[in-house]
Amino acid sequence: MQLMHNGLKDLLLINHYIPERKIGFLSLETPLPSLLKKFTESLPNYSLGLQIRREYRHISMGLRSLNFKDIDTLFIFEIYNQHLLFVLPLLASTGKDVFISLHGNQQFAINSRIKFLGLIYLKNYLQLFKNLKVVLFEIDDHVIPEKFRLPAASKVIIPHPIISDATPKLKPGERLPANTKIKIGVVGMIRQDKPIGKLIEKLQDYVTSSNSECELIIGTPFGQKPDYLDKIKATLYDTTKEKDYINVLRQIDILVIHYEKDRYYYRTSGVISDAGSCGCYIIASDYPVINHQVNWPIQIGSTFANFDEIGSLIDQAITHIREKGQDNHWIWREQRSAEAIAKLLFPKNHD
């Protein structure tokens, strides 16, 4: 099954741990009819074509939900607030228990009128149809203004799942050899005019001036790699393919990542979850959801409020890695497995 957010694929394993329930999974990632694709791509307005394709995917997902005959629960991997008009009535009409996974939908509604209206529409449906539930990641929505919160009885909170087939390179109790160079990494899309450019400068300064033996690693899709990266002192890896992306994360000891507040204040990071699964110590922006990601159920990283804190946090991270290896990561994984999440989604089946 193709997912928009590949880091959620372990949720497909939930069925194994709830034999009493039969769960069907739905994603927006479905092939488009060739005529629709050609038509929308021919439109001079790219945004209009994109919205038409998304609306089709939502309606298609809603219609597919009606085809599930032998299941009692539906899990929806992703939705867009602005495309709920037709899909919500279809999902509600199935009469099945429906879990709708939200990815920053409330965060985006804060800065968009149409997405806010979509959120209000969703809230009304949650109040009318008790079979509809929303899945929030990491923490409750009490950290955002009240008008963007959803009904308490309709919310289920789960941690972002791990990638079960990606594991830390150090086993519990294993430590890095004393003379091992520490690899500090940045992974993702790189643009010099974005804060990530300033972050890379900070990391270059640290690697150059640190008493510890360190290497800077940058993983990014080479098809969109800015030319200036070729001129800096760092080892570059192409992360266009999923397996290469995971391999880079497994090489990195410390991942440093920054997100802009208006997009990630109340939103999980898939990269942080992937990096944690691979054993990276994570240094990330200090927002409520991300803070929870790196500290629950046990600390596997730290957060910063400004770039000036990064140097001292890397020092602390190196000490942590030398003394504790990746032991905490193995504990962190346990409460983020499909088995643990199944108990949160279906508590009555585990009484």
Side-chain angles (χ1 to χ4, degrees):
M1 183 178 189
Q2 188 177 357
L3 303 180
M4 184 181 299
H5 306 282
N6 203 43
L8 299 178
K9 64 183 179 181
D10 265 43
L11 293 177
L12 294 169
L13 305 176
I14 290 173
N15 266 328
H16 300 313
Y17 304 103
I18 309 288
E20 305 88 353
R21 305 294 292 258
K22 294 182 178 179
I23 309 170
F25 297 91
L26 285 168
S27 169
L28 289 176
E29 293 297 300
T30 186
L32 293 168
S34 57
L35 286 177
L36 176 67
K37 186 176 180 181
K38 288 179 181 178
F39 168 69
T40 56
E41 290 179 347
S42 69
L43 295 174
N45 187 317
Y46 171 80
S47 179
L48 176 61
L50 176 64
Q51 297 308 319
I52 293 173
R53 292 192 294 273
R54 285 179 175 173
E55 185 63 31
Y56 171 85
R57 291 180 189 276
H58 279 76
I59 295 173
S60 173
M61 183 171 67
L63 292 173
R64 281 181 284 131
S65 74
L66 303 177
N67 296 329
F68 285 95
K69 304 302 182 184
D70 58 346
I71 60 101
D72 50 55
T73 305
L74 286 169
F75 190 98
I76 311 302
F77 274 100
E78 64 276 316
I79 59 169
Y80 287 91
N81 290 359
Q82 66 271 35
H83 295 287
L84 297 180
L85 183 61
F86 299 109
V87 70
L88 283 185
L90 290 168
L91 293 175
S93 69
T94 64
K96 306 178 190 303
D97 292 333
V98 181
F99 291 101
I100 303 172
S101 176
L102 300 187
H103 299 278
N105 295 56
Q106 291 158 281
Q107 169 79 64
F108 299 147
I110 294 174
N111 300 309
S112 167
R113 176 71 175 171
I114 189 171
K115 293 177 182 178
F116 174 65
L117 293 175
L119 188 68
I120 296 299
Y121 184 67
L122 172 61
K123 187 183 297 188
N124 289 332
Y125 259 82
L126 293 174
Q127 292 169 333
L128 288 170
F129 296 92
K130 302 308 178 185
N131 61 314
L132 300 183
K133 304 288 183 184
V134 289
V135 176
L136 308 183
F137 287 106
E138 300 295 334
I139 63 173
D140 198 359
D141 55 9
H142 63 275
V143 298
I144 57 176
E146 186 172 358
K147 67 179 181 179
F148 301 104
R149 300 174 196 168
L150 296 172
S154 302
K155 295 182 288 191
V156 179
I157 302 168
I158 65 171
H160 194 294
I162 58 167
I163 302 176
S164 58
D165 53 6
T167 57
K169 59 188 176 185
L170 299 178
K171 301 297 183 184
E174 189 178 358
R175 302 292 180 263
L176 289 174
N179 60 347
T180 302
K181 184 180 290 188
I182 296 292
K183 296 181 178 180
I184 303 170
V186 174
V187 174
M189 301 296 296
I190 310 293
R191 281 182 56 185
Q192 191 172 13
D193 61 329
K194 293 291 186 181
I196 191 70
K198 183 179 179 182
L199 176 61
I200 290 173
E201 288 180 19
K202 283 284 184 183
L203 296 180
Q204 283 183 280
D205 292 343
Y206 181 88
V207 170
T208 302
S209 60
S210 174
N211 293 325
S212 302
E213 279 290 312
C214 300
E215 177 186 359
L216 178 58
I217 288 178
I218 297 176
T220 191
F222 276 11
Q224 300 175 3
K225 174 174 63 70
D227 292 339
Y228 87 95
L229 287 183
D230 295 319
K231 301 173 185 177
I232 69 174
K233 188 178 181 181
T235 305
L236 305 182
Y237 290 96
D238 185 4
T239 57
T240 303
K241 296 181 180 177
E242 179 75 12
K243 64 182 180 68
D244 295 328
Y245 162 70
I246 295 298
N247 286 337
V248 171
L249 288 177
R250 293 196 80 238
Q251 286 191 52
I252 293 170
D253 298 301
I254 302 169
L255 179 80
V256 186
I257 191 164
H258 170 68
Y259 292 113
E260 296 182 57
K261 186 176 180 179
D262 62 352
R263 293 187 62 79
Y264 277 89
Y265 182 80
Y266 185 66
R267 182 183 176 190
T268 52
S269 162
V271 174
I272 286 177
S273 183
D274 298 344
S277 299
C278 294
C280 299
Y281 186 98
I282 297 154
I283 298 175
S285 309
D286 188 16
Y287 306 138
V289 178
I290 289 174
N291 191 294
H292 192 269
Q293 273 190 279
V294 302
N295 284 290
W296 187 90
I298 193 170
Q299 182 185 12
I300 61 163
S302 54
T303 56
F304 61 88
N306 62 74
F307 286 173
D308 292 335
E309 301 174 32
I310 290 176
S312 62
L313 292 177
I314 294 176
D315 290 338
Q316 295 171 28
I318 292 173
T319 300
H320 176 98
I321 292 167
R322 297 290 189 197
E323 294 179 354
K324 297 184 178 182
Q326 295 172 330
D327 294 359
N328 283 14
H329 288 76
W330 291 98
I331 299 170
W332 181 84
R333 294 170 64 87
E334 293 173 3
Q335 296 301 313
R336 295 172 174 274
S337 66
E339 182 177 7
I341 291 172
K343 295 176 182 178
L344 296 173
L345 290 173
F346 303 99
K348 292 181 180 179
N349 294 94
H350 291 87
D351 289 343

